[in-house]
């Protein structure tokens, strides 16, 4: 089993690259953002509760996403490992993931952090707004808030992973294929 965190700010390409990596390396792609949007689309009570938090670009409570991830890990069969996209987002979520994997005789093998310039992040998300229909892409103030929340609450995870010796920075600028090539090179070393 190989378990990887695909990390980076909103718009850095986590989702785009995770889909491609999951296919190439036969890994299971777990995106808490996608899971939460599926709850909203299905009109569940949880989805209804989370939608206003998400449309402001704030984080949903840790316990909500921790439970979602634990369920997915336990119900996924025959996978060679997990690609975590948009999770963990706080140090508390990282500690919970560590514990969860440990209890199942697994660990986080690597954290690949996509580095993208601020203006490029905003440009990509503004461009996507019409296509995605995501309320958090529609307003540049919300996009900026998502980037601020990342810096404040999510970036501290980098130090936590650096201390564990699993942090790897990856240039996230350029074409989707170029970035995929860089990520795949790191992945090959882990497989
Ligand atoms: P989430 O769904 O995780 O969104 P995000 O982190 O804001 O990031 P995005 O999905 O917008 O960007 P991405 O890095 O995946 O980039 P993508 O590949 O799409 O979270 C949404 C919300 O859910 C959060 O704000 C929070 O409320 C809640 N949430 C989720 N997880 C949570 C958690 N663990 N804890 C608490 N709350 C949580 O690319 C973006 C665009 O750029 C696309 O259009 C793509 O086609 C384009 N693009 C990609 N690469 C390139 C490239 N190289 N060149 C040009 N364009 C590119
Ligand atoms: Mg995404």
């Amino acid at each position: 089993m190989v378990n990887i965190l695909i990390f980076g700010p909103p718009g850095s390409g986590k989702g785009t690259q995770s889909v491609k990596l999951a296919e190439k390396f036969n890994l299971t792609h777990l995106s808490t953002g996608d899971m939460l949007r599926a709850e909203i689309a299905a009109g569940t009570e949880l989805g209804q509760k989370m939608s206003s938090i998400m449309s402001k670009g704030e984080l949903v409570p840790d316990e909500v996403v921790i439970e979602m991830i634990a369920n997915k890990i336990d119900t996924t069969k025959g996978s060679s490992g997990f690609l975590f996209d948009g999770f963990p987002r706080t140090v508390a979520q990282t500690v919970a993931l560590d514990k969860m994997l440990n209890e199942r005789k697994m660990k986080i093998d690597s954290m690949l952090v996509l580095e993208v310039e601020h203006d490029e992040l905003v440009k990509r998300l503004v461009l996507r707004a019409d296509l995605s229909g995501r309320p958090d892409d529609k307003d540049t103030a919300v996009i900026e808030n998502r980037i601020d929340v990342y810096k404040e609450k999510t970036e501290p995870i980098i130090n936590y992973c650096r201390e564990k010796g699993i942090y790897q920075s990856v240039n996230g600028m350029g074409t989707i294929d170029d970035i995929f090539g860089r990520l795949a090179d790191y992945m090959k070393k882990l497989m």
Side-chain angles (χ1 to χ4, degrees):
M1 293 286 280
V2 173
N3 300 305
I4 315 283
L5 309 185
I6 301 293
F7 211 83
S12 59
K14 302 182 295 291
T16 305
Q17 298 294 339
S18 294
V19 169
K20 290 166 72 72
L21 291 168
E23 196 193 347
K24 183 172 172 75
F25 295 99
N26 186 32
L27 299 171
T28 303
H29 173 205
L30 297 183
S31 157
T32 42
D34 288 350
M35 290 174 208
L36 288 162
R37 282 184 290 276
E39 293 282 339
I40 295 174
T44 66
E45 200 187 325
L46 180 73
Q48 282 170 16
K49 277 192 194 150
M50 298 305 126
S51 91
S52 70
I53 302 177
M54 291 170 70
S55 61
K56 289 184 212 126
E58 296 295 325
L59 296 182
V60 309
D62 287 338
E63 44 304 350
V64 170
V65 283
I66 291 167
E67 196 187 329
M68 284 180 156
I69 287 286
N71 284 338
K72 287 285 180 186
I73 290 177
D74 287 338
T75 53
T76 304
K77 304 282 174 230
S79 171
S80 331
F82 295 98
L83 276 177
F84 295 96
D85 156 12
F87 179 90
R89 271 271 225 298
T90 60
V91 172
Q93 289 178 25
T94 319
V95 172
L97 177 64
D98 258 345
K99 183 164 174 278
M100 205 188 293
L101 291 175
N102 233 300
E103 286 165 358
R104 292 160 179 81
K105 310 255 179 296
M106 296 187 279
K107 62 180 189 335
I108 306 170
D109 294 283
S110 185
M111 170 202 227
L112 302 176
V113 184
L114 291 165
E115 310 285 355
V116 177
E117 289 162 15
H118 173 273
D119 292 357
E120 172 70 12
L121 297 173
V122 178
K123 195 175 102 188
R124 288 183 191 175
L125 295 176
V126 166
L127 255 175
R128 183 178 66 181
D130 283 338
L131 239 149
S132 72
R134 278 174 56 167
D136 58 346
D137 282 349
K138 286 220 161 67
D139 178 346
T140 46
V142 174
I143 291 177
E144 292 292 354
N145 187 45
R146 285 157 65 196
I147 297 171
D148 287 345
V149 168
Y150 171 81
K151 286 189 189 142
E152 187 196 333
K153 302 202 167 130
T154 307
E155 240 174 18
I157 302 172
I158 291 180
N159 264 339
Y160 178 95
C161 288
R162 210 195 293 262
E163 280 166 21
K164 286 182 173 283
I166 56 171
Y167 160 77
Q168 178 62 57
S169 150
V170 180
N171 178 3
M173 297 287 288
T175 68
I176 290 173
D177 285 345
D178 284 345
I179 299 159
F180 179 64
R182 288 172 206 141
L183 288 165
D185 283 345
Y186 286 114
M187 296 285 296
K188 281 178 198 150
K189 292 183 198 156
L190 298 164
M191 307 299 284

